[in-house]
């Protein structure tokens, strides 16, 4: 009997079933529980890029410019008619790094800080205009540097430009944000100098604070008749203006005041097609959706799928310098810089513009980003890196 059972047991066979698991092209999911997560999503997706039909290891970076002393906190792109140039700001100096390699002597020195906001403005020539909230506004014309009030003809009156911490260009006018105030100052049309006039929003906001940034919001993906000028305060109040000529009563009107989450950093926004994306306490929100119900409906945020990780990072690192965004069209990447610790632990949360899938990159210790000739550059500790290039 025992032998018979043994012989019968020996005849049993094992079977297996093959299951095909798709590549995690749905990207990083830091919102849903494991049981509720779609099969194409990933609990973690570090240094892997979710493409449209496959997932690939992220590219590295190369050190484009070296020999810079200190942390590079601004990478600045100058756009001329026939020539473009690239600069890097670190500690108290600004270097021309257009040629790459080891840098030479600094173009500018004895500055107060390296955290510059800038625009490119075209009048009779092409000008780079920069402010950092501590030094007088700097100009660059493609050959020479100048500063406000140095006697070279670039004089701005009405406001002390050393108190201006942000700058934007709207319908051929330069707009300056005065640090710690609710005033924005505009220059004469088609001018880089002259008498600045204040647009004081103190009586309009209800939650106090100060202006952080000014942005151009357009509904037609260009710079035309549908453009609006948007200001955001440190408490998230967002003022939307329709402006044709702010010097006349009929040329300026307030469209509305809306409440968003408080913005994170001075480099809190990026132009994204016909919309604006803004880094706020509620995540990265599109202007078009945010004005509806972003504070009530978290799904408006484009970081909704990684909201738990985003919320943790904002809670822990929102006061750190280095929050920045860059849209990299060649690879359809939206890069959000997350400054964990300057010079050693920065990360990037990166979204595929086509699929809206997220991942995170480590190993690119970036303080700031800039797009130059359609390639992404970042400032690191003593160097400027060319990202998505090489194997590091």
């Amino acid at each position: 009997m025992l032998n018979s059972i043994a012989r019968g047991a020996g005849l049993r066979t094992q079977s297996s079933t093959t299951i095909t698991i798709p590549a995690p092209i749905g990207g990083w999911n830091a919102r849903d529980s494991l049981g509720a997560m779609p099969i194409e999503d990933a609990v973690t997706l570090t240094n892997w890029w979710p493409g449209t039909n496959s997932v690939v290891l992220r590219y590295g970076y190369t050190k484009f410019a070296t020999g810079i002393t200190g942390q590079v906190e601004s990478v600045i792109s100058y756009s001329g008619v026939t020539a473009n140039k690239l600069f890097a700001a670190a500690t108290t100096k600004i270097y021309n790094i257009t040629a790459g390699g080891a840098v030479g002597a600094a173009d500018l020195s004895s500055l107060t800080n390296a955290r510059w906001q800038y625009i490119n403005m075209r009048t009779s020539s092409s000008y780079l205009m920069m402010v950092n909230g501590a030094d007088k506004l700097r100009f660059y014309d493609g050959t020479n540097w100048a500063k406000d009030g140095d006697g070279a003809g670039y004089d701005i009156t009405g406001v002390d430009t050393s108190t201006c911490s942000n700058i934007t260009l709207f319908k051929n006018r330069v707009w300056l944000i005065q640090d710690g105030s609710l005033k924005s100052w505009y220059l004469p049309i088609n001018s880089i100098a002259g008498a600045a006039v204040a647009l004081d929003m103190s009586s309009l906001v209800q939650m106090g604070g100060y202006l952080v940034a000014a942005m151009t919001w357009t509904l037609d993906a260009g710079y035309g008749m549908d453009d609006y000028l948007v200001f955001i305060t440190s408490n998230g109040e967002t003022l939307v203006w329709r402006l044709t000529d702010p010097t006349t009563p009929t040329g300026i009107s307030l469209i509305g005041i809306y409440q968003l989450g408080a913005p994170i950093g001075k480099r809190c926004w990026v132009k994204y097609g016909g919309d604006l994306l803004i880094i706020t306490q509620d995540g990265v929100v599109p202007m078009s959706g945010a004005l509806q119900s972003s504070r009530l409906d978290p799904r408006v945020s484009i970081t909704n799928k990684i909201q738990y990780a985003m919320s943790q990072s904002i809670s822990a690192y929102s006061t750190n310098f280095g929050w920045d965004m860059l849209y990299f069209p060649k690879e359809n990447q939206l890069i959000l810089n997350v400054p964990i610790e300057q010079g050693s632990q920065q990360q990037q949360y990166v979204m595929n513009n086509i699929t809206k899938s997220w991942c995170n990159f480590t190993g690119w210790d970036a303080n700031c980003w800039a797009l130059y000739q359609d390639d992404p550059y970042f400032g690191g500790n003593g160097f400027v890196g060319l990202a998505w290039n090489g194997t590091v």
Side-chain angles (χ1 to χ4, degrees), residues 133-384:
D135 297 297
K136 286 287 191 178
L137 188 149
R138 257 48 179 192
F139 303 88
Y140 181 72
D141 64 4
T143 304
N144 301 306
W145 288 92
K147 71 176 180 180
D148 171 30
D150 66 358
Y154 304 105
D155 297 332
I156 296 174
T157 61
V159 63
D160 181 356
T161 58
S162 67
T163 66
C164 295
S165 58
N166 221 324
I167 186 171
T168 197
L169 181 65
F170 181 77
K171 291 190 176 179
N172 298 331
R173 285 186 191 271
V174 176
W175 290 77
L176 298 164
I177 300 293
Q178 191 169 15
D179 200 24
S181 80
L182 287 164
K183 291 182 179 181
S184 182
W185 298 78
Y186 59 89
L187 296 181
I189 194 166
N190 295 318
S191 177
I192 62 169
V197 179
L199 176 60
D200 191 347
M201 287 163 265
S202 302
S203 63
L204 298 175
V205 302
Q206 299 182 32
M207 298 181 65
Y210 52 88
L211 295 179
V212 172
M215 306 156 274
T216 298
W217 180 33
T218 179
L219 303 182
D220 57 7
Y223 292 89
M225 293 300 293
D226 294 328
D227 289 350
Y228 298 97
L229 182 59
V230 179
F231 296 94
I232 188 166
T233 74
S234 56
N235 291 322
E237 282 188 272
T238 305
L239 299 93
V240 180
W241 294 85
R242 178 184 286 118
L243 288 165
T244 53
D245 184 356
T247 64
T248 64
T250 58
I252 178 171
S253 60
L254 181 65
I255 299 300
I257 303 175
Y258 307 88
Q259 185 61 52
L260 306 184
I264 307 298
K266 289 183 172 64
R267 299 168 181 171
C268 59
W269 66 277
V270 68
K271 194 165 179 63
Y272 187 70
D275 211 342
L276 292 173
L277 298 179
I278 307 172
I279 312 171
T280 76
Q281 290 283 351
D282 300 328
V284 177
V285 296
M287 189 70 184
S288 57
L291 298 192
Q292 299 172 15
S293 59
S294 67
R295 304 230 75 183
L296 301 176
D297 184 359
R299 291 171 297 179
V300 171
S301 166
I302 67 168
T303 50
N304 177 45
K305 199 170 184 179
I306 58 168
Q307 194 57 40
Y308 180 68
M310 190 70 186
S311 296
Q312 284 188 314
S313 294
I314 289 172
S315 296
Y317 316 120
S318 62
T319 59
N320 290 358
F321 172 79
W323 289 92
D324 201 354
M325 274 191 297
L326 177 76
Y327 178 50
F328 176 27
K330 280 185 180 179
E331 295 295 330
N332 289 296
Q333 293 178 355
L334 177 70
I335 300 172
L336 168 64
N337 206 57
V338 181
I340 297 174
E341 183 177 343
Q342 190 176 56
S344 60
Q345 294 187 42
Q346 289 96 324
Q347 291 190 21
Q348 293 76 42
Y349 296 167
V350 187
M351 186 188 78
N352 185 317
N353 178 56
I354 298 173
T355 65
K356 305 302 185 282
S357 299
W358 287 90
C359 62
N360 78 303
F361 292 167
T362 62
W364 292 354
D365 293 328
N367 301 313
C368 56
W369 289 83
L371 195 69
Y372 178 65
Q373 295 183 332
D374 291 330
D375 289 320
Y377 291 80
F378 68 86
N381 187 4
F383 71 93
V384 171

